[in-house]
Amino acid sequence: MSYLKGETWTLTPVSSYKIVRNCPKCGTKSLFQSTGNFRINANKKCVDIWLIYQCENCRSTYNLTVFERVSPKKLPGELYKKFQENNSGLALEIGTAKEIFEKNRAVVKEESISYIVTKEDTEIPVSLQALEGNCRIICIQNPSGLKIRADKFLAKQLSISRSKVKHLIADGLLQGSKKENLEKIHLANSLLILLKTVA
């Protein structure tokens, strides 16, 4: 294993997932988006905390459970204060945490989330056996586990067409370091890409 000069692309969500659910007012399945506000209900010494979602069509609300019957004293540090202040960073963090949606059995629309990509030059650990000729080495970091097709993402970030990406993959010029089929996979939490340069 050697450390070689490469690029690290990090995906960071800038909006929450939208929820797909039946809206009682609309009478059909609708998209609910995060309002960025929390609802706190005190019950003796415990509280329930929800992140409030709103139907895009009629503004009916849905409460996504964050905590149930928890003592504010058991919440770490300034967390409870952030809930009280409707902290936007905390709302985004919760609105992109898949485990919370799974706990609520809430269905999210994967492609509804917006994100930015930060690119920086870094040194990347790469097995020399994976390298053949001159390569552009790209490490894609997806810590939030966003479900994005690898080929679609690469086309956008490399500013080329999907068909061009397909040709590069077919010609063996664009591939995952572990020989992943980039046409058929979604981005993992971490994915190492090798883009071979033609002299």
Side-chain angles (χ1 to χ4, degrees):
M1 188 74 68
S2 300
Y3 283 83
L4 302 177
K5 289 183 178 180
E7 306 164 44
T8 295
W9 297 356
T10 304
L11 286 73
T12 304
V14 293
S15 71
S16 299
Y17 283 109
K18 293 182 180 181
I19 296 174
V20 182
R21 61 178 285 109
N22 288 319
C23 176
K25 284 189 178 180
C26 295
T28 185
K29 282 189 176 181
S30 299
L31 285 178
F32 283 69
Q33 62 183 359
S34 171
T35 63
N37 294 324
F38 296 99
R39 178 184 171 190
I40 302 174
N41 182 47
N43 185 358
K44 295 183 179 179
K45 293 183 179 180
C46 294
V47 296
D48 296 317
I49 302 174
W50 301 274
L51 177 60
I52 304 173
Y53 274 73
Q54 194 174 70
C55 174
E56 290 187 334
N57 297 319
C58 71
R59 297 189 177 182
S60 293
T61 58
Y62 164 70
N63 294 330
L64 183 75
T65 301
V66 182
F67 286 108
E68 287 184 297
R69 301 294 187 269
V70 64
S71 169
K73 295 180 180 179
K74 292 186 177 181
L75 296 178
E78 297 292 309
L79 184 59
Y80 187 59
K81 184 179 180 181
K82 288 183 178 180
F83 283 123
Q84 291 177 311
E85 295 174 345
N86 291 319
N87 182 274
S88 59
L90 180 59
L92 178 60
E93 180 181 341
I94 291 172
T96 55
K98 286 190 174 179
E99 63 272 15
I100 292 181
F101 295 101
E102 291 170 359
K103 183 179 178 181
N104 282 267
R105 296 182 180 178
V107 178
V108 300
K109 186 176 182 180
E110 295 281 356
E111 63 270 25
S112 67
I113 200 165
S114 299
Y115 62 90
I116 59 173
V117 180
T118 304
K119 300 178 180 180
E120 58 181 342
D121 294 331
T122 54
E123 289 191 345
I124 299 173
V126 181
S127 170
L128 293 178
Q129 294 178 347
L131 299 177
E132 297 177 8
N134 295 324
C135 286
R136 181 178 174 186
I137 305 170
I138 304 167
C139 180
I140 302 173
Q141 296 292 334
N142 181 25
S144 297
L146 305 184
K147 191 175 181 180
I148 303 170
R149 285 184 58 95
D151 57 347
K152 182 178 180 181
F153 175 80
L154 288 167
K156 182 176 181 180
Q157 299 304 319
L158 294 171
S159 299
I160 58 178
S161 65
R162 292 276 290 278
S163 60
K164 177 65 174 177
V165 168
K166 185 175 181 179
H167 287 310
L168 289 173
I169 293 172
D171 293 341
L173 300 176
L174 178 62
Q175 61 185 32
S177 64
K178 297 180 181 179
K179 309 298 183 182
E180 298 94 336
N181 188 336
L182 300 177
E183 284 189 87
K184 296 184 177 180
I185 66 170
H186 291 87
L187 296 181
N189 284 359
S190 182
L191 178 65
L192 189 61
I193 300 294
L194 304 176
L195 177 57
K196 297 179 183 179
T197 57
V198 180

